[in-house]
C-alpha cells in the first residue's frame, strides 16, 4: 500500500472520476477527504462505504469549489483532522456547451472558478504543509481539452489550458521540495458529466443522441472506446508512488489517441 498513513483530498469526488480516484487512494491506505455535491444519504453511503471497504478514515467536505474561502477551509479542516494533506487532487469540474456569442457570462465565470481557480486556491492552502514535510503529490484533472479545442466549449477549453499552465508553474516552484505536480488529461470518460452534455450538444449541433455519441464524442477518439474512471484512478495512484517521483510538470494524456491526431 503506497499511501498508508497519508491523507488525500480529492475535490469533486462525489461522482465520476473523482469518486474513483478517492476510492483508489483509500485502497492504497490513504485517509481521504471527499468533496462535491449530491444527495446527503448517497454521499454518506459512499463515505462510510470507503471506511468499511478499505479500513481508512474518510470525511466529507461540502466546500463549494467556486468559493475561495470554502476551498481554503476544506484544506485547513483536513490538516486539523488528519495532521497533513499529502495528496491533493484538483478534480472538480463542470461543463457548459454554447457558441461564444450566446455563452452566458455567469457560466463563463462559474467554469473558470470551479475548473481552474479552485485548483489555485487549494494549492495555495496545501503547499506550505507539503513543503514543510518535503513530500507531496498534486494531481490536476485536466482534459484532452487542455491540449486541443472543440467548438462551443470556450470556457472549458480556456480553463483546461489554464490548468495545464498552472501545473507546470507549480511543478517548477516545488521541484526541490519532493512535491510533484502533474495533470492527467483524459479523453472522453463515461461519467455523469459526459452524459449530461449530450442534450446540449444535440441542441447546439442539431443532432440525434446517437450522432452525438458516435460523431462528436467518440469521433475524436481513435480507439472508439470511452476511457474508464478506474483507468484514470490507476494513473493517479501511480503518480503518488515513488516510481513516479521524477514525473513532474507533465500533462499525461489518457485519451485513446485523440491528441495524437
Ligand atoms: P462528474 O460530473 O461526474 O463529477 C464532477 C464532480 O465535481 C462531482 O462530484 C460534483 O459534485 C463536483 N462539483 C461540481 N461543481 C462543484 C463545486 N462548485 N464544488 C465542489 N464540487 C463540485 O464529472 P467527471 O466527468 O467525473 O469530471 C471530473 C473531472 O474530470 C472534471 O474536471 C472534468 O472536466 C474532467 N474530465 C472529464 C472527462 C470526461 O469525459 N468525463 C474528460 C476529461 C476531463
Amino acid at each position: 500500500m503506497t499511501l498508508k498513513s497519508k491523507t488525500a483530498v480529492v475535490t469533486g469526488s462525489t461522482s465520476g472520476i473523482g469518486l474513483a480516484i478517492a476510492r483508489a487512494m483509500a485502497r492504497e491506505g490513504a485517509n481521504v477527504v471527499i468533496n462535491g455535491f449530491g444527495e446527503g444519504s448517497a454521499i454518506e453511503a459512499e463515505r462510510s462505504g470507503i471506511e468499511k471497504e478499505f479500513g481508512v478514515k474518510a470525511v466529507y467536505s461540502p466546500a463549494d469549489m467556486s468559493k475561495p474561502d470554502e476551498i481554503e477551509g476544506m484544506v485547513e479542516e483536513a490538516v486539523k483532522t488528519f495532521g497533513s494533506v499529502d495528496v491533493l487532487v484538483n478534480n472538480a469540474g463542470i461543463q457548459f456547451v454554447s457558441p461564444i456569442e450566446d455563452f452566458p457570462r455567469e457560466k463563463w465565470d462559474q467554469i473558470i472558478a470551479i475548473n481552474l481557480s479552485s485548483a489555485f486556491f487549494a494549492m495555495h492552502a496545501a503547499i506550505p504543509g507539503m513543503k514543510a514535510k518535503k513530500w507531496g503529490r498534486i494531481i490536476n484533472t485536466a482534459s484532452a481539452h487542455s491540449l486541443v479545442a472543440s467548438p462551443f466549449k470556450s470556457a472549458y477549453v480556456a480553463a483546461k489550458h489554464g490548468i495545464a499552465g498552472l501545473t507546470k508553474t507549480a511543478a517548477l516552484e516545488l521541484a526541490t521540495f519532493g512535491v510533484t505536480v502533474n495533470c492527467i488529461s483524459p479523453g472522453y470518460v463515461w461519467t455523469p458529466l459526459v452524459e449530461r452534455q449530450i442534450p446540449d450538444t444535440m441542441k447546439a449541433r442539431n443532432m440525434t443522441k446517437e450522432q452525438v455519441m458516435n460523431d462528436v464524442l467518440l469521433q475524436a477518439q481513435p480507439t472508439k472506446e470511452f476511457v474508464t474512471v478506474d483507468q484514470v484512478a490507476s494513473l493517479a495512484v501511480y503518480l503518488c508512488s515513488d516510481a513516479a517521483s521524477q514525473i513532474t510538470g507533465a500533462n499525461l494524456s489518457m485519451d485513446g489517441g485523440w491528441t495524437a491526431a
Side-chain angles (χ1 to χ4, degrees):
M1 294 213 285
T2 50
L3 292 172
K4 195 141 182 54
S5 78
K6 295 217 161 31
T7 303
V9 173
V10 186
T11 74
S13 50
T14 52
S15 164
I17 295 170
L19 179 57
I21 292 177
R23 288 177 53 80
M25 299 286 168
R27 189 176 295 118
E28 292 300 318
N31 294 320
V32 293
V33 176
I34 59 169
N35 158 261
F37 300 146
E39 215 241 302
S41 58
I43 293 172
E44 175 50 25
E46 287 296 352
R47 190 203 64 76
S48 57
I50 288 173
E51 289 196 335
K52 237 181 253 143
E53 198 172 339
F54 305 116
V56 298
K57 290 259 170 259
V59 300
Y60 167 64
S61 164
D64 181 341
M65 290 301 109
S66 66
K67 305 212 165 95
D69 289 345
E70 293 190 21
I71 298 165
E72 303 222 354
M74 173 189 66
V75 173
E76 281 160 22
E77 204 50 45
V79 173
K80 248 189 238 153
T81 309
F82 295 121
S84 61
V85 170
D86 308 289
V87 177
L88 170 65
V89 182
N90 293 303
N91 168 81
I94 58 165
Q95 176 62 283
F96 190 79
V97 180
S98 164
I100 290 172
E101 65 272 29
D102 300 329
F103 213 95
R105 251 190 215 185
E106 63 277 10
K107 282 287 171 199
W108 169 272
D109 288 342
Q110 204 186 7
I111 289 179
I112 298 299
I114 296 168
N115 296 19
L116 175 58
S117 304
S118 72
F120 171 81
F121 292 116
M123 283 160 63
H124 184 260
I127 281 172
M130 291 180 176
K131 272 173 115 167
K133 273 184 91 176
K134 289 247 174 200
W135 197 92
R137 294 289 188 265
I138 299 172
I139 300 165
N140 298 320
T141 308
S143 163
H145 283 120
S146 74
L147 296 160
V148 295
S150 295
F152 314 123
K153 295 184 178 175
S154 52
Y156 188 87
V157 171
K160 293 300 185 182
H161 276 64
I163 206 154
L166 175 63
T167 299
K168 290 194 232 179
T169 306
L172 296 180
E173 290 185 19
L174 297 170
T176 57
F177 291 91
V179 180
T180 69
V181 190
N182 294 289
C183 45
I184 298 178
S185 283
Y188 278 104
V189 187
W190 189 250
T191 66
L193 181 137
V194 167
E195 210 170 344
R196 275 197 303 272
Q197 63 185 278
I198 290 176
D200 288 345
T201 310
M202 285 166 66
K203 209 163 101 198
R205 297 196 181 214
N206 196 23
M207 285 178 159
T208 64
K209 182 176 176 186
E210 287 63 39
Q211 284 171 320
V212 170
M213 297 268 284
N214 297 317
D215 302 344
V216 180
L217 302 184
L218 292 177
Q219 186 269 335
Q221 216 143 287
T223 57
K224 299 295 172 202
E225 287 177 26
F226 285 96
V227 179
T228 71
V229 293
D230 289 333
Q231 288 171 333
V232 179
S234 298
L235 181 52
V237 166
Y238 171 70
L239 286 172
C240 292
S241 70
D242 288 341
S245 70
Q246 292 305 311
I247 301 177
T248 194
N251 187 349
L252 300 159
S253 292
M254 185 182 275
D255 62 8
W258 176 351
T259 52

